[in-house]
Amino acid sequence: MSIWLIPAVILIVLVMATIKRVPAYEVFVEGSKEGIQIAVSLLPFLLGMMVSIAIFQASGAMDAVLSLVKPLTSLFAVPEQILPLALIRPISGTAALSVTTELIRTFGPDSFIGQLASVMQGSTDTTLYIITVYFGAVGIRRMGDALKVGLLADLVGIIASIVIVIILFG
Amino acid sequence: MVNLIWVFLAVSGICYAAFNGTMDKVNEAIFLTIEESVMITLSLAGVLVFWLGLMKIAEEAGLLSGLAKLFKPVVKRIFPDIPENDPALGYILSNMTANMFGLGNAATPMGLKAMKEMKRLSGSDQASRSMITFLAINTSSLTLIPTTVIAIRMKYGSVDPTSIVAATIFATAISTIAALIIDRSFYYLRKKAGRAL
């Protein structure tokens, strides 16, 4: 289905523009230029954040933190294997995707942990990346409560996916 | 807060590496990541150039304002401080729609454009109320069809790769509603403390 989605959007936009007598190609080029500008202004923010996360990960500190928190889960009767994913999801999208893949590979996609990892991966997003990219691109320096709101929402999303998967598959 | 997180990640990583002899890996990671971030920016640049061009056409053809008009009752409540027929609303809505269908590539350019329009409205380098709301919605994920996850499940031989779709939609709905409630609570706290935006 999603194979049709993008071409359909392009088709609708171009046909509507022609009907409305918009000089499509000229407008396209004019609008596109802004894309280069945004991409260039994005690089420092993205590079800075990615390097910091990479240092943390490559040093092994991330694994150390994860193993520290592991015993906590036994308190909540949630499989401890899922915890690394819950912790990493808001920080790094690529790391989260590799943890999810690893969990699905190890326990099987249709196991409880496999289902839980799938739902958790799909129902949350990388808060730190989104904030970095969106605020970086327009030069917002004081971000107010954005990070707190985003991280709290992540927490709710993670708890919600655990509860829902227990109800539906548990 | 982001300043602190950023410094913490790098400093604690370097200290940890110093005690655990993983400094070679840290060095390697730094240079690989620098390259990777340039590559990501470049590939993002292509996507941005294409979609912002197309969206400009959609804007001129009146499609974005049409979209904004269609969802006006909902969006007006979520973003009360954006004027009714402002182009920002059109970009916000196209970002949300693209996200719902799992078109992350198309969603980012529209999200960035929406941010730019909201910055034009606020005219400051401080995050405005509607920017924080918009981020809250985005970070809570709006995905209805998690295509990447379905693909991974297929690859590892799931009997029913799409079995998690309903659960994902439920979880997404709950986290998005929660994000909006949390966002609103923080807004009223700010307002009470007299530093409302």
Side-chain angles (χ1 to χ4, degrees):
Chain A
M1 190 192 109
S2 56
I3 300 171
W4 291 80
L5 229 45
I6 288 175
V9 171
I10 298 173
L11 188 79
I12 293 168
V13 170
L14 293 186
V15 170
M16 283 298 286
T18 312
I19 293 172
K20 295 257 175 86
R21 296 181 186 283
V22 173
Y25 184 65
E26 280 165 44
V27 173
F28 176 84
V29 173
E30 188 197 324
S32 301
K33 282 181 188 156
E34 210 179 332
I36 301 174
Q37 218 185 323
I38 293 182
V40 171
S41 59
L42 204 60
L43 181 62
F45 295 89
L46 201 60
L47 189 148
M49 193 52 83
M50 280 178 68
V51 168
S52 237
I53 291 171
I55 292 173
F56 192 65
Q57 232 175 334
S59 66
M62 198 181 268
D63 293 328
V65 171
L66 292 179
S67 60
L68 268 180
V69 190
K70 262 187 183 173
L72 251 174
T73 39
S74 48
L75 289 174
F76 302 101
V78 172
E80 56 165 349
Q81 294 90 340
I82 204 73
L83 209 72
L85 178 61
L87 276 179
I88 228 103
R89 189 70 180 103
I91 302 170
S92 166
T94 43
L97 195 61
S98 64
V99 173
T100 299
T101 312
E102 189 56 29
L103 287 175
I104 289 179
R105 194 181 66 82
T106 316
F107 298 96
D110 301 315
S111 66
F112 181 75
I113 292 176
Q115 308 266 29
L116 186 51
S118 306
V119 173
M120 211 177 261
Q121 173 77 31
S123 65
T124 49
D125 214 322
T126 314
T127 300
L128 208 57
Y129 175 83
I130 293 182
I131 289 185
T132 305
V133 168
Y134 280 14
F135 279 165
V138 294
I140 295 293
R141 283 169 221 295
R142 288 179 294 161
M143 43 188 71
D145 298 323
L147 191 63
K148 275 176 263 173
V149 174
L151 290 178
L152 281 172
D154 281 334
L155 187 65
V156 176
I158 284 160
I159 294 170
S161 50
I162 292 172
V163 173
I164 289 167
V165 170
I166 288 176
I167 293 171
L168 289 180
F169 302 106
Chain B
M1 198 167 167
V2 153
N3 288 318
L4 283 178
I5 290 184
W6 190 65
V7 171
F8 170 80
L9 288 174
V11 170
S12 59
I14 291 169
C15 293
Y16 188 89
F19 285 106
N20 289 276
T22 44
M23 207 56 95
D24 52 331
K25 286 196 180 124
V26 168
N27 263 311
E28 201 189 318
I30 291 172
F31 289 100
L32 276 178
T33 312
I34 290 173
E35 224 175 281
E36 201 189 322
S37 63
V38 175
M39 293 312 290
I40 290 182
T41 311
L42 269 181
S43 65
L44 205 58
V47 176
L48 281 168
V49 166
F50 178 75
W51 283 103
L52 288 186
L54 196 74
M55 279 306 114
K56 186 80 184 170
I57 305 178
E59 191 187 336
E60 301 261 312
L63 286 169
L64 288 188
S65 53
L67 193 65
K69 230 175 255 165
L70 199 65
F71 290 97
K72 206 165 95 184
V74 189
V75 186
K76 231 176 101 181
R77 280 177 172 271
I78 302 180
F79 299 97
D81 57 354
I82 297 182
E84 248 170 55
N85 292 316
D86 199 89
L89 286 181
Y91 283 110
I92 288 174
L93 279 165
S94 17
N95 164 271
M96 287 176 159
T97 329
N99 263 326
M100 284 181 191
F101 290 104
L103 305 175
N105 270 345
T108 311
M110 294 171 212
L112 294 180
K113 187 68 191 174
M115 272 292 170
K116 249 192 154 167
E117 299 291 335
M118 284 187 267
K119 194 183 178 186
R120 173 182 52 79
L121 287 172
S122 76
S124 117
D125 68 347
Q126 190 171 0
S128 68
R129 177 188 178 182
S130 37
M131 285 178 183
I132 297 174
T133 308
F134 181 63
L135 274 181
I137 293 174
N138 257 284
T139 58
S140 74
S141 160
L142 287 163
T143 317
L144 296 182
I145 306 150
T147 32
T148 321
V149 173
I150 295 174
I152 298 172
R153 296 172 58 76
M154 276 179 176
K155 192 177 150 203
Y156 290 105
S158 168
V159 231
D160 187 2
T162 55
S163 65
I164 43 89
V165 172
T168 305
I169 293 175
F170 268 132
T172 298
I174 291 176
S175 73
T176 303
I177 292 167
L180 285 173
I181 295 172
I182 295 166
D183 172 57
R184 278 295 189 273
S185 323
F186 272 96
Y187 170 73
Y188 287 117
L189 282 176
R190 281 202 299 275
K191 212 170 147 189
K192 231 176 144 185
R195 47 193 187 92
L197 301 165

